Amino acid sequence: MKPLRIHLFAHSLVSDWSHGSAHFLRGLARALMQMGHKVRCHEELGSWSLVNLVRNEQERSIDAIDQFRSQFRELDIHFYERKDGLRDYLKSELRNADIVIIHEWNEPQAVNAVLSLKEELKFRALFLDTHHRAYTRAGEMLKFHLHLCDGVLAAGEPIRKIYTDGFGVRRAWTFHEAADVDHFFPLNAHRKTDVVWIGNWGDESRTAEMEEFLVRPASELPDVKFQAYGVRYPAEAIDWMLDAGVDYRGYLPNLDAPQVYAEAALALHLPRKQYTNGLAGVPATRVFEALACGATLLSAPWEDLEHLFRPEDFVRLKNGEDAQAAMTDLLRDDRARRQIAENGLETIRARHTCRHRAEQLTGICQEVLAQAD
């Protein structure tokens, strides 16, 4: 197989501040390189995520950026600016590209500038959507010149159908996120907490779920230790958690998540509302990552419509009472926790690693290039 010259445009790879897609994109780029492809990454100088990381986390941001650079030394990241010279920069960068992959978090101006060069420079372009905006804010997605793309990579079947049935895109593939198992794997650690929740504030998209599956159990199970990590929580939400007994820890660099999962007996998944109604069946990246770390995962109601996991891979909760009962029982049963964790880890390693997705993407790229010929 001839190595492909792949260019990946991401909102940010350096920063994961309120930018969960960075987790997967980092691992995907690295897995493609491990397969022998030449991968060059591009991100805008002064991206929203990076600016907020530095502004909100101050000294911690330096450690997070240094940690990223040390763990992903091989990533070739080029920075651009949206100004008058953008088109010339892109022409120089993309002159020998085979495939350009554009993530949907990029600014439309930059995306459309890339797509405008496609025929002149003879590369093919794939649009990658791992978010919910196609469902919740369709008008924003129509700012992209999707008709110039050679196809869409959609992180779930409902998202794929929006592009084909709603936006008129001719070709789209279901392309789920996955776990970067080179960085996310089980660790041995002393237990520091009982239940951990890692996730950002959802702009009211999962406030009810937080109340039912995190805050209320914490207040009604005083002997159980709860921790929460994440950003963009308003002061009243932080007070709400603290008053219930949840130890709120703020920003967690994603590369530190394996250690946090290792130090907790149970991990909690609280899906956003979008992924339980119109985008039902689309899993969050953290589901893959938690299971890859060997976490015993408890999930608020979320229907696995695409059968990505087995029933025994994690605990599916029905309601808050069910959550409290499951937490109480599992915290007493080391063997049950280990078995659930082993089941989930087995499924990740068999089906849902960044290497699996890199292999799928390689096949899609070859298909697109063959059609272009």
Side-chain angles (χ1 to χ4, degrees):
M1 179 186 70
K2 180 182 176 182
L4 299 174
R5 293 165 297 190
I6 299 172
H7 289 249
L8 171 64
F9 281 79
H11 169 76
S12 182
L13 291 167
V14 174
S15 173
D16 60 14
W17 194 94
S18 195
H19 177 33
S21 299
H23 312 174
F24 172 58
L25 295 177
R26 292 167 172 175
L28 178 65
R30 190 168 185 270
L32 288 166
M33 294 177 69
Q34 289 171 340
M35 292 181 65
H37 300 303
K38 297 182 66 176
V39 180
R40 177 170 289 183
C41 303
H42 305 268
E43 69 173 81
E44 184 174 359
L45 192 65
S47 67
W48 176 89
S49 178
L50 183 56
V51 166
N52 276 279
L53 172 64
V54 174
R55 177 184 298 151
N56 291 285
E57 307 305 331
Q58 300 177 5
E59 291 184 6
R60 295 181 67 196
S61 69
I62 298 173
D63 294 336
I65 293 169
D66 286 347
Q67 183 187 38
F68 161 74
R69 294 196 181 281
S70 69
Q71 293 296 311
F72 289 92
R73 295 179 185 277
E74 63 273 72
L75 292 191
D76 180 22
I77 302 176
H78 292 225
F79 295 89
Y80 66 88
E81 294 181 88
R82 278 184 291 137
K83 57 183 184 180
D84 292 343
L86 176 60
R87 185 177 175 85
D88 290 337
Y89 165 83
L90 293 173
K91 284 183 70 171
S92 174
E93 288 288 304
L94 302 177
R95 183 172 292 114
N96 297 313
D98 294 316
I99 293 284
V100 177
I101 300 168
I102 306 166
H103 188 251
E104 62 89 20
W105 249 47
N106 290 285
E107 290 295 328
Q109 178 189 348
V111 172
N112 295 337
V114 171
L115 293 174
S116 71
L117 294 168
K118 198 181 72 153
E119 294 308 317
E120 178 183 346
L121 300 182
K122 305 303 180 186
F123 61 79
R124 301 297 93 187
L126 295 171
F127 191 76
L128 171 60
D129 191 336
T130 61
H131 203 247
H132 57 71
R133 283 199 300 166
Y135 172 65
T136 56
R137 299 195 293 274
E140 293 184 13
M141 306 309 295
L142 294 176
K143 294 178 182 178
F144 298 109
H145 294 168
L146 296 172
H147 63 284
L148 296 178
C149 294
D150 295 280
V152 170
L153 305 167
E157 183 63 12
I159 302 175
R160 188 193 70 81
K161 287 184 177 179
I162 290 174
Y163 279 93
T164 56
D165 300 351
F167 297 161
V169 171
R170 290 190 303 108
R171 307 185 71 197
W173 295 264
T174 298
F175 185 74
H176 293 288
E177 293 185 283
D180 174 7
V181 295
D182 287 342
H183 295 96
F184 291 82
F185 49 82
L187 299 174
N188 291 320
H190 176 69
R191 179 166 151 188
K192 294 184 177 180
T193 195
D194 297 314
V195 181
V196 67
W197 149 245
I198 303 176
N200 301 323
W201 179 246
D203 296 324
E204 302 302 326
S205 66
R206 55 180 167 218
T207 307
E209 289 76 10
M210 287 183 61
E211 162 67 24
E212 184 171 8
F213 295 94
L214 174 66
V215 174
R216 194 184 308 156
S219 64
E220 297 186 5
L221 299 173
D223 294 332
V224 176
K225 295 179 181 179
F226 288 78
Q227 282 184 354
Y229 293 85
V231 300
R232 296 178 55 234
Y233 285 86
E236 56 270 25
I238 295 173
D239 291 340
W240 178 47
M241 288 190 286
L242 293 174
D243 289 344
V246 178
D247 179 13
Y248 173 68
R249 298 292 188 92
Y251 170 65
L252 178 72
N254 197 48
L255 288 167
D256 288 341
Q259 184 69 30
V260 170
Y261 285 128
E263 292 171 351
L266 303 171
L268 192 60
H269 170 50
L270 302 175
R272 297 178 187 268
K273 280 189 172 64
Q274 296 92 337
Y275 301 116
T276 61
N277 46 48
L279 300 182
V282 179
T285 308
R286 294 192 193 277
V287 173
F288 297 113
E289 291 178 345
L291 297 180
C293 291
T296 303
L297 186 66
L298 281 62
S299 176
W302 174 75
E303 194 172 0
D304 182 15
L305 296 177
E306 298 181 54
H307 307 292
L308 299 173
F309 306 102
R310 302 171 299 178
E312 62 268 28
D313 289 339
F314 59 88
V315 178
R316 291 153 170 82
L317 305 173
K318 298 175 184 176
N319 50 46
E321 291 183 2
D322 192 30
Q324 293 184 43
M327 292 171 184
T328 301
D329 291 343
L330 285 170
L331 289 172
R332 296 171 179 164
D333 194 336
D334 294 349
R335 180 179 297 180
R337 290 201 312 275
R338 283 197 300 270
Q339 186 60 62
I340 294 167
E342 289 170 4
N343 293 340
L345 178 61
E346 181 179 62
T347 293
I348 293 297
R349 290 178 172 174
R351 301 178 59 192
H352 302 307
T353 69
C354 285
R355 177 65 182 229
H356 288 105
R357 301 300 185 261
E359 291 171 352
Q360 180 190 0
L361 180 55
T362 297
I364 292 170
C365 290
Q366 292 171 333
E367 182 182 339
V368 168
L369 291 169
Q371 274 212 337
D373 295 338

